[in-house]
């Protein structure tokens, strides 16, 4: 088994444009991404960050941006050792329309070092479930596991 790679996907009753907006709008990411705002200008070569208040949790560079189909970015933990000492890994988001009202969102996290893998363990599934809940119901997902993980970060 390759522990340097993690893949997760979800089908969401929303258009690719709606899913793209939820991935790139800080107001929406706060509702499902552990209370953090994902910020960037979403141009190739630009920096992206995951922030909450004055805390910077994650950052990286946008390697590829193909709205509303694909984002490839580096991913670096900034707040917690030993993961913060790991070199950046790589995350790819692929949005594929299934029909007029459903999108498959696939997330591939590659080049994971053990400390970063431990940091994100279980997190991607929670983020994708929260994104799906937000887009399909208009409400954030309330989950004890997610609240515990957010409090621990």
């Amino acid at each position: 088994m390759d522990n340097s790679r993690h893949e997760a996907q979800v089908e969401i009753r929303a258009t690719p444009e709606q899913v793209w907006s939820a991935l790139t709008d800080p107001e929406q990411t706060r509702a499902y991404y552990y209370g953090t705002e994902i910020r960037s200008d979403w141009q190739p070569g630009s920096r992206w960050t995951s922030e909450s208040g004055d805390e910077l949790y994650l950052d990286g560079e946008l390697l590829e941006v193909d709205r509303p189909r694909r984002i490839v970015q580096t991913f670096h933990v900034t707040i917690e050792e030993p993961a913060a000492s790991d070199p950046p890994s790589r995350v790819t988001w692929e949005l594929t329309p299934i029909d007029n009202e459903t999108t498959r969102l696939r997330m591939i996290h590659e080049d994971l070092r053990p400390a970063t893998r431990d940091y994100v363990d279980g997190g991607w599934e929670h983020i994708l479930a929260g994104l799906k809940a937000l887009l399909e119901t208009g409400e954030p997902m309330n989950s004890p596991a997610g609240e515990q993980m957010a409090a621990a970060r």
Side-chain angles (χ1 to χ4, degrees):
M1 185 164 134
D2 182 4
N3 284 332
S4 69
R5 186 176 199 276
H6 180 77
E7 184 174 329
Q9 73 178 21
V10 65
E11 292 182 4
I12 303 171
R13 226 176 25 255
T15 66
E17 291 79 10
Q18 291 168 321
V19 175
W20 182 275
S21 178
L23 287 172
T24 60
D25 174 23
E27 293 295 318
Q28 292 183 70
T29 63
R30 190 173 347 121
Y32 67 86
Y33 210 110
Y34 297 106
T36 66
E37 297 179 356
I38 306 300
R39 298 189 171 280
S40 181
D41 67 6
W42 301 104
Q43 300 300 312
S46 291
R47 181 175 188 237
W48 72 272
T49 61
S50 173
E51 309 169 23
S52 181
D54 292 337
E55 298 287 343
L56 176 65
Y57 290 85
L58 307 167
D59 72 355
E61 178 186 350
L62 295 170
L63 304 175
E64 182 181 336
V65 180
D66 181 13
R67 181 186 178 115
R69 292 179 275 286
R70 182 176 165 91
I71 300 169
V72 181
Q73 63 194 83
T74 63
F75 180 99
H76 182 248
V77 177
T78 59
I79 198 162
E80 186 176 307
E81 289 293 345
S85 295
D86 280 352
S89 50
R90 177 179 161 133
V91 173
T92 301
W93 300 92
E94 297 176 342
L95 291 76
T96 306
I98 295 174
D99 56 34
N100 288 337
E101 47 188 57
T102 307
T103 301
R104 177 177 298 114
L105 176 60
R106 182 174 170 219
M107 184 285 314
I108 305 155
H109 196 161
E110 300 173 282
D111 304 325
L112 283 163
R113 297 288 178 96
T116 299
R117 182 165 185 83
D118 289 347
Y119 181 83
V120 300
D121 188 38
W124 286 124
E125 285 74 14
H126 176 76
I127 288 168
L128 293 178
L131 174 61
K132 177 180 175 72
L134 179 67
L135 287 172
E136 291 184 352
T137 70
E139 297 292 327
M141 179 179 74
N142 295 317
S143 104
E147 291 167 12
Q148 289 171 350
M149 290 176 81
R153 295 207 162 113

